[in-house]
Amino acid sequence: MDVLILIGRLLLAALLYLFLGALFWLLWRDLQAARRQAGAPQLRERPGQLRVLQAGGGLTADQVIPLLTYTTLGRAEANTVVVADPYASAEHAVITWRSGQWWLEDRDSRNGTLLNDIPVEEPLIIGEGDVIGIGQARLRFEYVNGNEPA
């Protein structure tokens, strides 16, 4: 009986070492993949801005608003761009830089967000000259300093 207990303990110890070895191997493989990815060329952000075409909600005509990597638009003071318009929601829309593109997303606003007078129902890529409508305000997306895509 003592021999069976010893064999069981040795088998459990071997399984534990096998598990730990597999875990370290997976971690090492992920670390190597991360190093290879870090050496790959990164997509550079193309700076963007919004130019106010039609004033409304506290914005002034021809005002230029630089975009951050994550820019929120809405009526609440916590937003990056405050649009104090009665038709704007507290968190109306968001513009983000991801996968080498600028994206516009409606945040389930009551009156919706427009892109070139078409309602935004899912995240959309925006480009030079696109017009975003929030309430009565109209904002044109532009690349900064002529950094238009190739």
Side-chain angles (χ1 to χ4, degrees):
M1 188 68 175
D2 288 339
V3 174
L4 288 175
I5 292 174
L6 178 63
I7 292 172
R9 287 182 178 174
L10 290 174
L11 186 60
L12 284 175
L15 286 174
L16 178 62
Y17 282 116
L18 184 64
F19 171 75
L20 289 174
L23 182 65
F24 284 120
W25 178 76
L26 287 171
L27 288 172
W28 180 80
R29 191 181 67 171
D30 285 348
L31 181 62
Q32 296 302 319
R35 277 192 196 147
R36 280 192 301 274
Q37 230 177 19
Q42 299 293 321
L43 292 174
R44 218 179 94 235
E45 178 182 346
R46 285 189 224 127
Q49 64 188 17
L50 297 175
R51 183 174 304 274
V52 179
L53 298 177
Q54 183 176 330
L59 302 172
T60 57
D62 211 36
Q63 176 183 356
V64 175
I65 305 163
L67 293 177
L68 304 174
T69 305
Y70 186 85
T71 303
T72 57
L73 300 100
R75 195 177 64 242
E77 290 294 323
N79 288 298
T80 311
V81 179
V82 177
V83 182
D85 186 293
Y87 296 104
S89 297
E91 291 182 21
H92 199 94
V94 64
I95 298 174
T96 56
W97 172 261
R98 63 178 188 258
S99 303
Q101 300 286 333
W102 286 102
W103 292 77
L104 172 67
E105 181 179 351
D106 183 70
R107 304 294 282 174
D108 295 325
S109 61
R110 178 179 290 178
N111 294 310
T113 303
L114 301 176
L115 180 62
N116 300 323
D117 293 324
I118 299 170
V120 175
E121 296 176 1
E122 60 187 49
L124 297 173
I125 296 172
I126 57 176
E128 182 74 26
D130 282 343
V131 176
I132 300 166
I134 296 178
Q136 296 174 347
R138 295 293 176 264
L139 311 162
R140 182 176 63 219
F141 175 81
E142 302 171 344
Y143 289 102
V144 176
N145 299 329
N147 287 332
E148 291 84 14

